[in-house]
Amino acid sequence: SVCSAATKSSVILCLENLLGLERFQGLDCFLAGDDVKEKKPDPSIYLTASQKLGVLGKNCLVVEDSVIGLQAATRAGMPCIVTYTSSTANQDFKDAIATYPDLSNVRLEDLELLLQKTLVAS
């Protein structure tokens, strides 16, 4: 699922180029800023995505790059990891369950394990 605060047209253009048309069309859920009334840090976009996917919020794992996105995820009751950018590196990510400079060495199995540990701890 992809949940972006940007306008739908710009996100579609970006994702089609990044993922390719076939992979983009294969996404289970895609929401943009104009699909919800309130933008991040309001949790609406994440709550809407979990409803569309039929998944409880606590079983979702959000990947964000800013404190505003992190606030939206935590307000939705969803664990969140942060992979920061050069412009967000100094933000306060204390509520994230993990923080990474990039995800190049992070495997899906690592994230599944992290989510399981978070669910057990809560």
Side-chain angles (χ1 to χ4, degrees), residues 42-107:
D42 186 274
S44 299
I45 199 162
Y46 287 128
L47 295 172
T48 303
S50 69
Q51 288 169 354
K52 281 189 169 221
L53 295 169
V55 178
L56 291 174
K58 67 177 185 173
N59 294 328
C60 296
L61 180 62
V62 175
V63 180
E64 269 293 350
D65 65 354
S66 72
V67 74
I68 289 174
L70 172 61
Q71 289 168 349
T74 54
R75 289 174 185 174
M78 299 177 182
C80 182
I81 66 166
V82 171
T83 176
Y84 50 83
T85 65
S86 56
S87 62
T88 63
N90 294 323
Q91 294 179 355
D92 181 3
F93 298 124
K94 70 178 181 332
D95 291 332
I97 62 170
T99 306
Y100 303 97
D102 65 71
L103 296 176
S104 57
N105 294 315
V106 181
R107 299 170 307 147

Side-chain angles (χ1 to χ4, degrees), residues 100-121:
Y100 303 97
D102 65 71
L103 296 176
S104 57
N105 294 315
V106 181
R107 299 170 307 147
L108 185 57
E109 294 83 9
D110 300 327
L111 298 178
E112 288 172 342
L113 213 66
L114 191 62
L115 183 57
Q116 286 172 0
K117 286 180 186 175
T118 303
L119 290 172
V120 170

